[in-house]
Each structure stands twice: as structure tokens, then as C-alpha cells.
Amino acid sequence: MSNSSSITEFLLLPFTDTRELQLLHFWLFLGIYLAALLGNGLIITAIACDHHLHTPMYFFLLNLSLLDLGSISTTLPKAMDNSLWDNRDISYSGCAGQAFLFLFLVIAEFYLLTVMSYDRYVAICKPLHYGTLLGSRACVHMAAAAWGTGFLWAVLHTANTFSIPLCKGNAVDQFFCEIPQILKLSCSDYYLREFGLIMVGVSLEFGCFVFIVVSYVQIFRAVLRIPSEQGQHKAFSTCLPHLVVVSLFINTGMVVYLKPPSISHSSLDLVLSFLYSVVPPAVNPLIYSMRNQEIKDALRKLYEYIAGSGHGNQGVRAGLHASTTITKGVPQGRARRLDDSPKAGIGNTLKKLLRQKDICSFQVLDGFTGTSAET
């Protein structure tokens, strides 16, 4: 028998006891982690540096990449350390911190995915109201609500879990400090208190999942009205993976948190937790952004800018020289009249109208699917 006051560390579950397989797991986790860092890092850089991507959809994608980077950095580095050095222990405070951060980021990501489904629903099914319903202030408020909800739920669950007396040792049957596995070490009477809190949270998450599914159903109905079969195929090929990853993320998480301890099995628990904690952050960059043509163009321009930075001063001087030559070739009054002419004003007005028209057409699918399907 032990209690929480006497526990100074927890023992995490290793993926295998064979040294060769431990090293194999280390290299596998390292590859996944580096891929997640690279993919999410490129998305964050592209969206932050390209002002053309400062739109609601890419604002939410930026937040999603930040959450993915945080969640996978909370679990995998410790798992890699354990596999490389054949180590299992984690301090009591380290375990509490890991549980809090992971829960905070995962819950915030779940609510952000709900907001993103609403964003896509409005963009495709109610394009005329898009600017009104999803203005810059509304987007910031929705993203802040997702982060804030995750933080509050994480504080509540973590404080409640680590205040429960632990009567069944300190061996956690998971590769990271997961709330359900820590609750298995508690006394049965205290377990029910946290289980009730989990049930409330799962009920809210199930409601959000239903909202996501309904939103995608409406999106699919709108996609079916695209006259081009190729456009329909490209839209479905992107929307369906979105829904699959969201379903995998939510359903495996719900199973982990609702599964009775009596049917718990170490191998099954490892697989389920891996599916909802590691797989989504690693594949989200590929599914949500890296197949997007605007993201690719932004990354290409960023690469060209970095690659040509050594010749940047010469290019700027050449451009200034060309601009000066053109200006000298046109009288000052004539140049001013060209800029201020009615034709130039009408052209600028038409450009603005065409940009607004894009929002009211199926061309919004270009940002969502990487294809254009304007009606």
C-alpha cells in the first residue's frame, strides 16, 4: 500500500523489454517527431510570413499547428528518452506537468477542430455571410475560447486527479502520464469523483463531434453541386481524410477515457493512446495544409527569398534603377495622371469586387481542397 504523499516518482510502461526493439522504437519516434516538427513548423512559418494567408481559415490552421507541436512535444521526447536509455521513471511533478500540458493541448485542439468545421461550413454553404460571421474579432474570440476551455478543463482534471490518494503503487500502464491510467492507481471510492467529471467532459465532446459530422455532411452536399466531376473528386479526396482523422482522434480518445479498468490491457492501451496522441499531430500537416496550393506557393516564395538573399541587394538596386528609368521616361504630370485616371480607379474597383466575389463562389474550396471549383 502507498499513498500520494509517499510517491516521489512514477514508472512509465515501456513499449518493449528487448534492447534492440527499444532502439528501433527510438528511431521510429525520432522520425515521427522530426516529421511533425518540420510539417507544423513550415505551416506556421508560411502563414506568419505571407500576408495573403492572413485569413480566418489559415489563422485557425496556424493555431492547430501550434497545438500539434505542443501536444507531440509533451509525450514523444520522454518516450524517446526512455527507449534510448532504457529508463522508466518520471518525477511526481514531471508527471503532473505532463498530464496537465497534454490534456490542455488536446482539449484545446478538439474545440479548435470544431471551430474549423464551422469555418468551412460557413465559407462553403453560407459564403455571403462569411465576412460577417467570421470577422477578425470573431476568429480571435473563437480561438481564444478553444485555448481557454482547454486550459480550464486541464486545471480541473489535473488538480482533481493528483489530489486523490493513490493506493496501488506507482506503475503507470502507459508511455506517458495519462489521467485514466493514474486513476487506476487510486482508491476506488475516490475514482468515482473524477469519473463523473470525465463523463461531463465526454458528453460535451460528443456534442461537438456531432456538430462536426453535421457540418461536413452539409459541406459534402454543397460539394455535390459542383458541376465539375474532377472538382468533386478533389474536394472529396480532401474532405474525407479530414473527417477520418477527426474521427480517429475523437473516438480513440473517448474509448481511452471511458473504457472500464476491468477490460484494460497494456498493449491495447498503448495502441489507442498512440493513435490519438501521436498520429494526428504527425499527419495533420499533410492532410490540412501541405496538399493546399496556397501553402505550397507561400513556401516556394519563402524558399526563393531565402535562397536569393545573397543576391538581394543587387536585385533591389536593379529594381530601383529600372523604376527610376521608367519614371524618367514619363513626364511627372503624365505619370500622376495615369495613376489618378478614371480608368485606373475603375480597374482598382473591379479588382476589389472580384476579390469579394471569390468569397461568394465555390472558389473558397481552393483554399480548402487545393482546387478551384467556381460555379
Side-chain angles (χ1 to χ4, degrees), residues 318-332 334-335 338-339:
L320 290 174
H321 176 71
S323 176
T324 304
T325 303
I326 293 174
T327 305
K328 288 181 178 178
V330 179
Q332 184 176 1
R334 174 60 176 166
L338 285 174
D339 291 337

Side-chain angles (χ1 to χ4, degrees), residues 121-280:
Y121 165 75
V122 175
I124 295 175
C125 301
K126 297 182 181 294
L128 295 177
H129 303 284
Y130 188 78
T132 304
L133 296 176
L134 285 158
S136 58
R137 180 173 298 179
C139 292
V140 171
H141 287 170
M142 286 188 284
W147 286 81
T149 303
F151 179 81
L152 291 177
W153 273 107
V155 168
L156 191 59
H157 281 288
T158 306
N160 193 41
T161 299
F162 284 88
S163 64
I164 295 175
L166 305 179
C167 309
K168 301 177 183 178
N170 65 337
V172 179
D173 289 337
Q174 194 51 268
F175 70 97
F176 67 98
C177 288
E178 192 178 50
I179 296 292
Q181 299 300 329
I182 296 174
L183 290 175
K184 288 169 59 177
L185 306 177
S186 65
C187 305
S188 58
D189 294 338
Y190 293 94
Y191 175 84
L192 296 176
R193 184 177 66 184
E194 173 64 14
F195 183 75
L197 191 61
I198 290 176
M199 287 298 298
V200 174
V202 169
S203 299
L204 293 174
E205 292 174 1
F206 180 75
C208 292
F209 177 65
V210 172
F211 178 84
I212 292 173
V213 172
V214 172
S215 298
Y216 273 96
V217 169
Q218 297 298 321
I219 290 172
F220 291 152
R221 291 178 60 186
V223 169
L224 289 174
R225 295 197 295 269
I226 299 176
S228 169
E229 292 186 2
Q230 183 180 5
Q232 291 182 6
H233 174 72
K234 289 183 178 180
F236 277 116
S237 67
T238 303
C239 293
L240 287 177
H242 289 190
L243 193 56
V244 169
V245 172
V246 170
S247 301
L248 177 70
F249 173 65
I250 296 173
N251 292 329
T252 52
M254 290 177 64
V255 170
V256 167
Y257 278 83
L258 292 180
K259 183 169 54 63
S262 57
I263 63 173
S264 178
H265 190 274
S266 297
S267 300
L268 177 63
D269 292 341
L270 279 175
V271 172
L272 290 175
S273 295
F274 189 85
L275 287 176
Y276 89 91
S277 65
V278 176
V279 173

